[in-house]
Amino acid sequence: MDQRYYTLAEGCPYPSASTSVQFRNNGGGGPGLLQDIQLIETLAHFARERIPERVVHAKAAGAFGEFTVTDDCSDITSASFLSKVDKKTPFLLRISTVGGEAGSADSSRDVHGWAMKLFTDEGNLDWVFNNTPVFFIRDPIKFPSLNRSHKRHPQTHLPDPNMFWDFHVGNPESFHELMHFFSDRGTPASLRHMNAYSGHTYKFTKEDGSFNYVKIQMKTSVKNLTKEESVNIAGENPDFLLQDLFEAIEKGDYPTWTVYVQVMSPEQAENYRWNIFDMTKVWPHKDFPLRRIGSITLDRNPLNYFTDIEQAAFSPSTMVPGFAPSADPVLQARLFSYPDAARYRLGVNYQQLPTNAPKAPVYCPFQRDGLMNFSNDYGADPNYVGSSLQPTKFYQDVKGVKASALSTFTEHEKWTGEVCTFQSHVTDEDFVQPAALWDVIGREAGHQQRFFGNVAIHLCQVKHPSLRQAVYDLFSRVNPDLGAGVKKETEALVSH
Ligand code: NDP
């Protein structure tokens, strides 16, 4: 018999964790009682044990680590966490697939999300990145459609290559990201061996009001699975990547990445060939070389997956002074939609959950009350602006912090123009960078051939020949050999 001390959630001790109260009758067993609080509480809580699963990025691993500044970058940002070499900042990292549900196989081909919460001394900074440097769309209104086309069909409830390819043929600005998706990097061999990219353009800002546009990249030695390996592993161990990360950290084999920025001045941005607010484009390295700023190491596993990782909420809107958003419309939409998703999934006070709470002082008396508020709620402090009354003891927490450090300088641009719908039509320019990637892929022996096979196994499931042909035509716009190679392998599987 279990002799441990157990209580109800309110503290009342109970004698046994594994016995419910019943009517005694001769044969044993009998009707239960509503007054068996322990049983009722146990069952009622169990029924509510799951919170809504993320509609995307549901399957994930997570761990804690440390960011270290390796190179002086005080000339481009006044962010405190980057202010001097060797400064360290703790962070939480959650790495996910996108389309699959929480129980899906993590070795399946997908973009991988990289959500990082840096607990800086000026508040939290979330870097919500991916393992690809670009994205499928540049108009945020397409975001739900993109994700639905990668998930389950409304009738069959099956993943459906017809709607996947139908979406991409109808929205071919996605072909650059599709090239990354179907390259070997679509199936990382380990979360410890994949890169992360900001994708969006952000800004590094300084207290004097100056700023530069930046893209951030985190690099390690990249290792990938082949199509065959990823399929076999998905059957044998759907938690392969999750397990690999947990076990490596557990045995002290701590993964590390080097952190770089690409830096572009506002003047360079105005004259640059590519629209830097278009998330389907990179900044080629030869134009904007990587500048090293730091390194990161993961060195601690979660104590509890639910509290540390599942309840974590990340948003690109979580920023610190010295780091600001750009005008990228997809980023602007994410600034709203990520906190909105967290409010739905975790409730309006999700920032108070231990895994999300900043380590820096917080004084935010105009955001109070609400469902499941478990803070001091600022006691009697005024809950309205412009008060001449003295705040109470809760204010003391942040006394001494420079007021100037509490505001993010983002108003560095002057905009003129007119409101219009976003011009997202696709031109030949959209195929230039995918073509450059095709050449990069060609530098590695056998990779182009594997690319054909990676697409073919998926595309051969498309029923309509005209839709398949439209895909070949778009790959041919990237490179005629690419279109021909995809067609040959796909049609061979179709007629098989
Ligand atoms: P570079 O030759 O300077 O850089 C190409 C980069 O491609 C490499 O640095 C490497 O990035 C990355 N890479 C290598 N193999 C693969 C692969 N199999 N799948 C995806 N990426 C790979 O060329 P450019 O900067 O002119 O870029 C050419 C193309 O490379 C772009 O169109 C883009 O698709 C891709 N790319 C560009 C990046 C950029 O920020 N400029 C970043 C990543 C990819 P890494 O060292 O980060 O692994």
Side-chain angles (χ1 to χ4, degrees):
M1 174 115 166
D2 186 354
Q3 294 299 317
R4 267 170 280 189
Y5 176 75
Y6 293 107
T7 76
L8 294 175
E10 289 87 355
C12 174
Y14 55 74
S16 162
S18 53
T19 319
S20 58
V21 178
Q22 292 164 6
F23 268 140
R24 195 191 301 280
N25 71 10
N26 289 341
L33 297 176
L34 203 50
Q35 71 186 45
D36 185 356
I37 313 293
Q38 181 188 339
L39 174 66
I40 304 288
E41 287 283 308
T42 302
L43 296 180
H45 196 277
F46 180 66
R48 292 161 178 81
E49 212 166 79
R50 292 287 170 270
I51 56 178
E53 184 174 294
R54 288 166 164 87
V55 68
V56 283
H57 297 279
K59 172 85 178 201
F64 296 89
E66 202 166 55
F67 178 104
T68 305
V69 179
T70 52
D71 300 80
D72 181 41
C73 52
S74 55
D75 58 317
I76 45 173
T77 176
S78 52
S80 171
F81 83 105
L82 293 172
S83 59
K84 54 177 186 289
V85 172
D86 287 337
K87 184 160 182 174
K88 295 183 190 309
T89 299
F91 69 87
L92 163 66
L93 177 65
R94 182 178 185 275
I95 312 179
S96 54
T97 51
V98 182
E101 295 83 4
S104 62
D106 54 14
S107 65
S108 300
R109 181 173 305 283
D110 207 346
V111 173
H112 287 67
W114 173 283
M116 192 170 165
K117 189 179 290 296
L118 289 140
F119 298 98
T120 90
D121 49 14
E122 286 180 324
N124 288 354
L125 170 64
D126 289 359
W127 280 352
V128 195
F129 299 173
N130 282 323
N131 73 329
T132 55
V134 291
F135 198 54
F136 296 104
I137 54 169
R138 54 184 168 225
D139 186 327
I141 202 157
K142 296 184 179 181
F143 190 76
S145 297
L146 160 73
N147 283 297
R148 288 194 204 107
S149 77
H150 282 217
K151 288 171 77 74
R152 292 176 186 274
H153 186 273
Q155 181 187 24
T156 62
H157 200 54
L158 295 168
D160 190 318
N162 296 286
M163 65 180 193
F164 178 102
W165 287 105
D166 191 30
F167 175 85
H168 291 294
V169 166
N171 302 275
E173 68 271 28
S174 65
F175 265 64
H176 193 185
E177 177 71 318
L178 276 182
M179 301 272 303
H180 284 277
F181 187 94
F182 283 103
S183 82
D184 288 352
R185 291 195 179 192
T187 50
S190 160
L191 302 176
R192 299 177 287 136
H193 293 288
M194 58 169 234
N195 294 342
Y197 305 87
S198 65
H200 297 296
T201 297
Y202 286 90
K203 286 188 275 185
F204 268 4
T205 64
K206 291 181 67 182
E207 278 179 3
D208 64 10
S210 63
F211 78 97
N212 281 285
Y213 290 113
V214 292
K215 286 200 188 228
I216 298 161
Q217 309 200 351
M218 287 179 238
K219 305 225 284 187
T220 181
S221 58
V222 172
K223 292 184 188 161
N224 302 308
L225 301 170
T226 62
K227 159 171 109 285
E228 293 74 16
E229 287 168 336
S230 76
V231 169
N232 288 342
I233 289 171
E236 284 164 9
N237 180 2
D239 304 306
F240 177 77
L241 296 181
L242 205 152
Q243 186 175 349
D244 170 75
L245 183 69
F246 189 92
E247 290 180 353
I249 294 173
E250 210 58 12
K251 65 174 190 248
D253 182 7
Y254 300 141
T256 63
W257 288 259
T258 308
V259 184
Y260 299 92
V261 279
Q262 290 179 291
V263 184
M264 184 189 291
S265 70
E267 297 73 33
Q268 286 174 309
E270 279 167 24
N271 302 312
Y272 196 46
R273 172 177 182 179
W274 311 104
N275 177 356
I276 64 158
F277 305 137
D278 175 351
M279 213 192 168
T280 68
K281 305 286 186 298
V282 295
W283 302 352
H285 291 125
K286 70 172 174 4
D287 296 345
F288 295 96
L290 297 178
R291 172 174 166 175
R292 193 181 69 177
I293 58 167
S295 68
I296 58 167
T297 304
L298 286 177
D299 58 10
R300 185 160 60 88
N301 275 318
L303 275 181
N304 177 278
Y305 185 86
F306 183 81
T307 55
D308 289 339
I309 309 301
E310 189 66 7
Q311 287 194 318
F314 304 87
S315 169
S317 59
T318 304
M319 284 186 229
V320 293
F323 190 82
S326 76
D328 176 340
V330 177
L331 174 58
Q332 293 283 323
R334 291 175 78 208
L335 300 178
F336 158 74
S337 72
Y338 279 61
D340 189 48
R343 285 187 282 266
Y344 163 70
R345 192 171 64 86
L346 299 163
V348 70
N349 285 306
Y350 71 93
Q351 291 116 325
Q352 294 177 15
L353 289 164
T355 197
N356 298 322
K359 313 242 181 287
V362 176
Y363 186 70
C364 181
F366 309 119
Q367 184 174 319
R368 51 210 287 179
D369 302 355
L371 208 61
M372 298 297 281
N373 186 330
F374 48 90
S375 72
N376 55 42
D377 210 27
Y378 302 100
D381 279 10
N383 54 5
Y384 49 90
V385 298
S387 170
S388 59
L389 304 175
Q390 285 301 308
T392 67
K393 61 181 177 154
F394 300 112
Y395 185 66
Q396 307 304 316
D397 292 342
V398 283
K399 231 178 176 176
V401 174
K402 252 195 319 167
S404 63
L406 293 174
S407 63
T408 307
F409 295 100
T410 57
E411 303 301 323
H412 293 161
E413 293 152 298
K414 287 197 169 59
W415 293 92
T416 56
E418 57 194 75
V419 175
C420 61
T421 53
F422 192 59
Q423 297 297 312
S424 79
H425 61 273
V426 168
T427 69
D428 287 345
E429 279 290 278
D430 289 303
F431 295 89
V432 172
Q433 292 197 356
L437 178 57
W438 184 240
D439 291 341
V440 169
I441 288 172
R443 288 179 205 158
E444 195 189 329
H447 195 168
Q448 290 189 338
Q449 197 57 43
R450 291 196 297 278
F451 187 99
F452 298 144
N454 293 344
V455 176
I457 195 72
H458 192 250
L459 185 55
C460 75
Q461 300 170 65
V462 169
K463 288 192 206 111
H464 302 291
S466 60
L467 181 54
R468 294 200 302 274
Q469 185 58 48
V471 176
Y472 308 143
D473 292 345
L474 284 162
F475 276 126
S476 294
R477 267 180 96 175
V478 176
N479 183 302
D481 293 343
L482 168 59
V486 168
K487 179 171 185 171
K488 190 169 163 223
E489 289 233 8
T490 306
E491 294 303 318
L493 290 175
V494 171
S495 56
H496 190 64

